Amino acid sequence: MVASGTEATEASGGGDVGLRRRGCTYRKYDFLPEESFQSWGNYVKALSQTPGRFKDRVLTRSLDSTELVEMKAQSHNEMKKTLNWWDLIWFGIGAVIGAGIFVLTGLEAKKHAGPAVVLSYVVSGVSALLSVFCYTEFAVEIPVAGGSFAYLRVELGDFMAFIAAGNILLEYVIGGAAVARSWTSYFTTLCNHDSNDFRIVAPGLGEHYKYLDPIAVVVIIGICFLAVLSTKGSSRLNYIASIVHVIVILFIIIAGLTKADIKNYEKFAPFGPRGVFQASAVLFFAYVGFDAVSTMAEETKNPGKDIPIGLVGSMVITTFVYCLLAVTLCLMQPYGSIDEQAPFSEAFEAVGMGWAKYVVAAGALKGMTSVLLVGAVGQARYLTHIARTHMVPPWFAQVDGKTGTPVNATVTMLAATAVIAFFSSLDVLASLLSISTLFIFSLVAIALLVRRYYVSGVTTQATRNKFIACLVLIVGSSIATAVYWSKTDKWTAYVVTAPLWFLGTLGIWILVPQARSPKLWGVPLVPWLPSLSVAINIFLLGSIDRDSFIRFAAWTLIILVYYFFFGLHASYDTAKDSLAKRLEAGTNLELKKAEAAEVYAPSAARDSELDGKSGSNTSAHPAS
């Protein structure tokens, strides 16, 4: 069954058979078709088997072929392959250059880093680029809409993939909500009003939630219509918005530097190294859009060529632009005077170029619109692939036969984004988003190491144990470094943790042979590059505030409750059904071979008999 309403005959839980009606359906079978949910008795039995099922899902890993063939088939319609590397570069630029640079630069320069915010962008950019390399190898080898969820299913198993999936969805919802609220801030600047003038104040709510934002909701609804129409159409619109955006960025840099005052750089790092890394952790928000590009691998014409150029190229360009913009802002204004909501617009106002703030605000709106559009396209594809595994209801996996887009997933994700955008402030959203993103990027880097150095049936037990020991050393030393950094300004423990990380990476390089080589494109300097990605991502986690970790823990608890009551049993049933079908297909193939052999055997005997009579030596033809 697809969203466009293709007629199909299916048995429902009660055994009824009938034709589906055209349009979206909302029957129980669309959401809970698995055996475990067909009756209360089945569900109670499934719950009683939770420990065994959980063990099975933890230990079972998916196959590349499963993600590429079986999971894609769950959507019934193919996504259209319309994108090339040029599309992906512009999608990458459109996805990334938005609220992060236009809002968080001012916020972090004022509160944590000062003019050294440019170093914060360098640190975040290096970390993001390392993650891009890891993503790229996976996206080339497994070009499906699931992005990091699919990669983790293949290498770390269903359970770790689900934990990542929950945080991926949170990342996209929060990211979209943060950008939508920033859209409102720059729109009010364009209209010559203060940031909160167009928001509704609800005094009864907390400080971070009392400014209700109806404009953000309207913007998200408009983006939803665009995202469901077509991916190629979204790409063309993104071209236009991104080109205008680049022109405005060039204007900001050139015009801003004409008003530069070197005195503003006298106190380059007023908050010290800690401030630089605290800002880096939050500014990671400015880079998170690139993983949306990896979800478009399924719609890319030539993944082996297009994805590496698109992902790496857009990230290098973005990092360079970010650094230039950060330098420009801090040269125009003392860091203590920077406006937190619309820093670039207000900076031009402060240096006597009031007219320029309207150009900046318009450009920022164009950029944020691109970010919202690409984010909407990416998050829907993540949810689509997650639903293909039945970890969430398969209704979300349906792809519309006419548009070739996942309409159900798009509408659902953007509805959640609109709700969050209506209530929550930017600073709360940015910190929580950075935790989810850094956590996922760390898992992807670990998964890449597993992919290269461990293959079941190829890697020996002794080699596997060496690899696990080295991996524990890498992750453990990285966590120890992050925790120590979060507690004190001293450096003595780093004399221990840094060498341990080095020894763990060196151990993999020397003691563990690679079990798999990339077919088309591979990350360079393995294991050093992915190991460094793990270390930097975890280190940046140590710079995020305690309240954000509490929110992160609460969300993780929520998704775990859902998993053990629904997701685990649905995905377990789906996996077992898939295995049974593969075994049945294998059995049928063997039966066909046996039947062919039986047909061939008498014929071969007759030929042999004739050969004996005639004295000839005719060879038998092979059976087909």
Side-chain angles (χ1 to χ4, degrees):
M1 164 64 190
V2 296
S4 60
T6 303
E7 291 184 345
T9 303
E10 288 193 47
S12 66
D16 299 328
V17 178
L19 292 175
R20 292 283 186 93
R21 295 179 180 179
R22 291 193 173 275
C24 294
T25 59
Y26 300 96
R27 303 183 313 167
K28 174 191 170 186
Y29 192 88
D30 296 312
F31 293 88
L32 296 171
E34 300 82 17
E35 181 67 25
S36 294
F37 304 104
Q38 297 313 303
S39 69
W40 279 108
N42 286 6
Y43 184 55
V44 171
K45 181 181 178 181
L47 289 178
S48 69
Q49 297 173 353
T50 295
R53 292 184 169 199
F54 177 62
K55 181 180 179 182
D56 176 85
R57 293 294 84 202
V58 168
L59 297 178
T60 301
R61 296 189 300 167
S62 181
L63 300 172
D64 290 15
S65 58
T66 301
E67 302 300 311
L68 288 167
V69 181
E70 288 187 36
M71 292 300 104
K72 286 170 68 174
Q74 297 290 325
S75 294
H76 298 280
N77 289 305
E78 288 275 346
M79 294 186 188
K80 297 176 181 178
K81 294 184 179 295
T82 58
L83 306 177
N84 56 32
W85 65 267
W86 183 248
D87 296 309
L88 295 183
I89 282 184
W90 282 103
F91 260 126
I93 292 172
V96 176
I97 302 180
I101 186 64
F102 283 114
V103 177
L104 291 180
T105 305
L107 185 68
E108 293 307 307
K110 187 172 185 177
K111 289 188 173 182
H112 294 125
V117 70
V118 65
L119 297 182
S120 301
Y121 270 117
V122 170
V123 173
S124 297
V126 169
S127 178
L129 187 59
L130 294 175
S131 297
V132 163
F133 277 116
C134 297
Y135 265 82
T136 300
E137 180 170 328
F138 275 117
V140 169
E141 298 275 316
I142 313 172
V144 293
S148 53
F149 170 74
Y151 315 152
L152 295 176
R153 246 172 66 87
V154 169
E155 300 304 335
L156 301 184
D158 262 22
F159 179 66
M160 289 306 300
F162 176 81
I163 297 297
N167 283 286
I168 289 165
L169 298 180
L170 178 67
E171 170 192 321
Y172 273 108
V173 169
I174 288 176
V179 174
R181 288 188 72 91
S182 297
W183 200 101
T184 301
S185 295
Y186 270 91
F187 180 69
T188 55
T189 299
L190 195 62
C191 298
N192 241 350
H193 283 264
D194 291 333
S195 299
N196 289 322
D197 284 358
F198 291 174
R199 294 187 175 117
I200 302 168
V201 181
L205 299 177
E207 180 63 29
H208 295 297
Y209 308 98
K210 69 179 182 180
Y211 294 103
L212 309 183
D213 198 332
I215 292 178
V217 175
V218 173
V219 170
I220 291 171
I221 291 172
I223 292 295
C224 183
F225 280 108
L226 293 172
V228 300
L229 291 178
S230 92
T231 305
K232 190 63 179 179
S234 299
S235 175
R236 291 188 182 120
L237 183 62
N238 179 64
Y239 274 157
I240 298 169
S242 296
I243 289 170
V244 172
H245 197 194
V246 168
I247 293 170
V248 172
I249 287 171
L250 290 174
F251 168 80
I252 292 172
I253 294 169
I254 296 169
L257 289 177
T258 64
K259 298 294 182 178
D261 185 352
I262 200 68
K263 291 180 181 178
N264 294 332
Y265 258 53
E266 288 179 353
K267 293 183 179 179
F268 181 69
F271 302 98
R274 181 168 296 278
V276 171
F277 285 107
Q278 282 180 323
S280 291
V282 176
L283 290 174
F284 209 87
F285 169 90
Y287 291 96
V288 298
F290 82 81
D291 57 345
V293 181
S294 71
T295 68
M296 299 173 198
E298 193 170 315
E299 296 156 273
T300 302
K301 295 176 183 177
N302 183 1
K305 172 189 172 184
D306 297 333
I307 292 172
I309 296 175
L311 274 173
V312 177
S314 61
M315 182 52 59
V316 171
I317 293 169
T318 299
T319 302
F320 182 67
V321 169
Y322 277 1
C323 291
L324 283 178
L325 286 170
V327 168
T328 301
L329 178 65
C330 292
L331 282 173
M332 290 176 70
Q333 260 191 309
Y335 72 89
S337 304
I338 293 174
D339 183 80
E340 295 179 12
Q341 295 295 323
F344 286 94
S345 294
E346 296 305 319
F348 278 101
E349 180 83 38
V351 297
M353 296 177 67
W355 59 271
K357 77 174 186 179
Y358 300 108
V359 177
V360 174
L365 289 178
K366 286 284 187 182
M368 292 178 200
T369 303
S370 297
V371 171
L372 286 170
L373 181 58
V374 178
V377 171
Q379 67 190 13
R381 280 140 188 81
Y382 262 124
L383 183 57
T384 297
H385 199 77
I386 295 166
R388 288 167 173 173
T389 69
H390 289 222
M391 287 188 190
V392 297
W395 182 79
F396 296 111
Q398 296 170 8
V399 172
D400 187 87
K402 182 178 180 181
T403 65
T405 59
V407 175
N408 297 347
T410 304
V411 173
T412 303
M413 289 295 292
L414 288 177
T417 302
V419 171
I420 299 297
F422 189 59
F423 289 100
S424 304
S425 66
L426 180 66
D427 53 349
V428 170
L429 295 173
S431 295
L432 185 54
L433 176 66
S434 292
I435 292 180
S436 295
T437 305
L438 290 165
F439 173 68
I440 293 163
F441 288 176
S442 299
L443 287 179
V444 171
I446 292 170
L448 181 67
L449 289 172
V450 173
R451 183 172 182 81
R452 287 287 195 96
Y453 290 97
Y454 177 75
V455 174
S456 181
V458 174
T459 306
T460 65
Q461 185 174 352
T463 301
R464 182 198 64 187
N465 293 340
K466 291 175 188 176
F467 173 66
I468 291 173
C470 292
L471 196 58
V472 168
L473 206 57
I474 291 169
V475 175
S477 61
S478 300
I479 293 173
T481 301
V483 172
Y484 188 73
W485 167 257
S486 68
K487 299 294 184 183
T488 178
D489 289 329
K490 296 179 181 179
W491 56 271
T492 48
Y494 305 140
V495 177
V496 177
T497 59
L500 286 176
W501 170 85
F502 179 81
L503 288 174
T505 311
L506 185 66
I508 293 179
W509 189 44
I510 295 176
L511 301 176
V512 184
Q514 287 198 32
R516 178 191 279 119
S517 297
K519 299 172 184 175
L520 298 174
W521 189 94
V523 175
L525 301 175
V526 173
W528 298 98
L529 192 150
S531 178
L532 185 60
S533 178
V534 172
I536 294 179
N537 288 334
I538 293 177
F539 178 75
L540 289 176
L541 283 171
S543 299
I544 296 176
D545 63 279
R546 181 171 174 268
D547 289 344
S548 296
F549 274 101
I550 293 173
R551 296 185 190 105
F552 175 75
W555 171 249
T556 302
L557 180 62
I558 290 170
I559 62 175
L560 282 175
V561 170
Y562 165 82
Y563 181 72
F564 283 111
F565 281 93
F566 293 97
L568 168 63
H569 307 293
S571 61
Y572 178 86
D573 286 351
T574 303
K576 294 307 173 187
D577 287 345
S578 176
L579 178 61
K581 289 176 182 177
R582 286 200 298 270
L583 291 174
E584 183 180 351
T587 301
N588 290 339
L589 182 62
E590 290 300 321
L591 286 173
K592 288 179 181 179
K593 288 180 178 179
E595 289 170 1
E598 288 174 6
V599 170
Y600 166 72
S603 175
R606 285 194 301 271
D607 288 346
S608 177
E609 184 180 352
L610 289 171
D611 288 345
K613 291 179 179 178
S614 63
S616 65
N617 192 22
T618 308
S619 61
H621 296 285
S624 59

